[in-house]
Amino acid sequence: MYSWTPLAYGTGLRGIIAMTRLLIAASGTGGHLFPALAVAEKLPHWDIHWLGTRDRLDGRLVPKHYPLHWVAMGGLQGGWRLRLRRLIQLFVAVWAVGRLLHRKQITLVFTTGGYIAAPAVLAARLAGLPVLLHESNAVAGRVTRLLGGCCSGVALGWSSTKLSRPPARIWHTGTPVRPQFYRPAPLPEWVPRGSGPLLVVMGGSQGARGLNHMVRQQARPWLEAGCRLVHLCGRNDPEMGSLRDPAYVERPFTEETAGLLQYGDLAISRAGAGTISELAASRCPAILVPYPHAANQHQEANAAAVAAFGAAVIVHESPDGAPLDRAVRRLLEPRLSMGTPARDPLVAMAAAMGRLARNDAAADVAKVLENLHRT
Ligand SMILES: CC(=O)N[C@H]1[C@@H](OP(=O)(O)OP(=O)(O)OC[C@H]2O[C@@H](n3ccc(=O)[nH]c3=O)[C@H](O)[C@@H]2O)O[C@H](CO)[C@@H](O)[C@@H]1O
């Protein structure tokens, strides 16, 4: 187990003595990591340790702020041999997390779900520690369904999310968003300048090849009509570099999403819970293209919840992207036409996004943790 530990924490002797020791288990995708980082920022006087997996986004983002410990974990899907291997991996991970809880004198555990949550929840319960799980999706993930019932409580991103084995306590907090989304952020300097509408394409923290392909097939007429296009295409995009235009910029990943979404006229995005909360915080209307292979179609459910609010339209992934083109033209037409301005649907959609936003989500989850620690 890798561990990196800074020399001192806290604010003086009193702070150190009274300090709460929190283990956060959040790993893999931005959708799991960023909400957890937003909550951690609200607990500046707590001694926070992080549980993650090796070689993922955690390794790049977490050690700047918190000591990162890792265990090997994967999903329980696949053939029986793989399942058996994963089950053994889970037992080893529970044992390793148990040792970590003991060594670091952890008093409370928080997780945002995913593979890493299983050993964290099980080890915490075996050690008799309180554990809070945050579920950000409209359809609960596997760990939430299986282990939510044995947590001290579950905080939900959507009040409509159903839990098959509900815990003693459930809170509807919304999904925490990084603080930069709640203050004016500058438009990144690498964004094409001009007065044309700004389209922001986001495929989640890992990119989305299907969405990237649809966008590049259809983008030429949008650019010719005067749009500017920023495309966050992920680190694993074989078609990167195939579309060139002065008003088009592609990047594998950026940490400047707040500025992009605040200035964006329209986003074309996967329907991950993290991105949806950020779109809401930034009041950026969206065309949502749910990831078709997401577990239990949870991105479909996320997208449907936003569309029901009138804040987004849903377009399904298709080989040629023609439905995406129709949606972009319909939504952007008033902003591109030179004649009498027609009613602009993006204005109402932006207002609806604003109504979806839960600005206090990070603080609310932090409060729940504080209360759990006291009781
Ligand atoms: C493919 C898949 O199953 N994805 C799941 C994954 O999130 P995944 O990380 O894929 O997607 P999310 O939309 O939840 O989060 C993406 C995060 O990455 C950030 N970002 C993205 C691109 C970039 O260049 N820079 C950047 O900072 C976004 O601002 C956002 O904070 O977990 C989420 C939370 O359980 C689920 O809702 C998603 O369905």
Side-chain angles (χ1 to χ4, degrees):
M1 186 181 285
Y2 165 80
S3 171
W4 172 84
T5 314
L7 289 175
Y9 293 100
T11 51
L13 194 59
R14 233 181 110 222
I16 291 168
I17 292 166
M19 202 175 275
T20 309
R21 294 191 178 79
L22 173 70
L23 180 72
I24 296 184
S27 173
T29 67
H32 290 108
L33 271 172
F34 290 129
L37 282 165
V39 173
E41 260 194 63
K42 297 285 176 191
L43 299 164
H45 302 305
W46 284 19
D47 181 5
I48 295 178
H49 289 260
W50 208 278
L51 184 71
T53 44
R54 206 156 36 159
D55 303 333
R56 303 296 302 267
L57 203 51
D58 337 358
R60 271 193 287 139
L61 296 178
V62 174
K64 285 184 238 168
H65 311 281
Y66 308 101
L68 172 68
H69 312 268
W70 60 262
V71 287
M73 265 310 294
L76 285 179
Q77 61 273 67
W80 71 268
R81 272 175 214 274
L82 186 64
R83 279 171 185 242
L84 186 65
R85 218 176 62 218
R86 297 282 197 224
L87 211 58
I88 295 168
Q89 206 173 44
L90 175 62
F91 280 116
V92 174
V94 171
W95 174 79
V97 177
R99 275 178 47 111
L100 175 70
L101 297 177
H102 181 71
R103 217 176 51 241
K104 298 293 174 193
Q105 299 283 290
I106 300 293
T107 49
L108 182 66
V109 174
F110 172 56
T111 178
T112 48
Y115 305 145
I116 202 74
V121 171
L122 291 171
R125 292 323 265 170
L126 285 172
L129 297 178
V131 47
L132 176 70
L133 191 154
H134 182 272
E135 172 57 65
S136 57
N137 292 298
V139 173
R142 188 191 290 237
V143 174
T144 308
R145 278 181 282 126
L146 292 176
L147 297 179
C150 66
C151 292
S152 317
V154 172
L156 295 175
W158 299 94
S159 56
S160 55
T161 305
K162 301 270 179 299
L163 299 176
S164 44
R165 296 182 59 224
R169 279 175 285 180
I170 296 177
W171 298 269
H172 174 216
T173 55
T175 292
V177 165
R178 290 168 285 173
Q180 57 263 43
F181 285 89
Y182 293 113
R183 44 181 188 246
L187 182 68
E189 55 188 35
W190 44 270
V191 172
R193 300 296 165 188
S195 56
L198 177 62
L199 270 169
V200 181
V201 181
M202 288 178 75
S205 55
Q206 299 159 98
R209 286 189 195 191
L211 176 64
N212 293 346
H213 183 68
M214 283 166 75
V215 166
R216 290 202 187 91
Q217 271 192 307
Q218 299 296 337
R220 185 59 67 193
W222 309 339
L223 294 164
E224 281 164 7
C227 289
R228 294 171 293 145
L229 189 52
V230 170
H231 190 169
L232 304 177
C233 60
R235 294 184 193 278
N236 194 14
D237 178 13
E239 294 174 1
M240 192 172 174
S242 61
L243 176 65
R244 288 178 192 276
D245 190 279
Y248 173 80
V249 169
E250 58 192 353
R251 294 234 153 167
F253 189 85
T254 178
E255 292 197 19
E256 296 174 281
T257 40
L260 288 177
L261 295 185
Q262 285 174 17
Y263 280 90
D265 289 77
L266 176 66
I268 300 173
S269 174
R270 283 297 193 214
T275 303
I276 286 175
S277 310
E278 293 164 358
L279 288 164
S282 313
R283 296 169 164 253
C284 181
I287 295 174
L288 296 175
V289 185
Y291 177 49
H293 310 294
N296 296 310
Q297 297 292 312
H298 70 259
Q299 290 210 356
E300 286 284 346
N302 291 347
V306 186
F309 239 80
V313 297
I314 300 175
V315 165
H316 290 107
E317 191 165 311
S318 64
D320 68 349
L324 176 64
D325 179 50
R326 283 196 290 277
V328 169
R329 284 170 192 268
R330 181 171 65 80
L331 294 174
L332 281 184
E333 204 271 325
R335 294 193 185 193
L336 288 168
S337 68
M338 295 298 171
T340 322
R343 216 179 114 257
D344 185 346
L346 295 179
V347 173
M349 288 170 72
M353 271 295 182
R355 289 195 295 277
L356 258 181
R358 295 289 302 253
N359 297 7
D360 297 329
D364 286 350
V365 174
K367 262 184 234 149
V368 170
L369 283 167
E370 280 165 351
N371 288 335
L372 276 180
H373 186 250
R374 263 186 235 124
T375 51

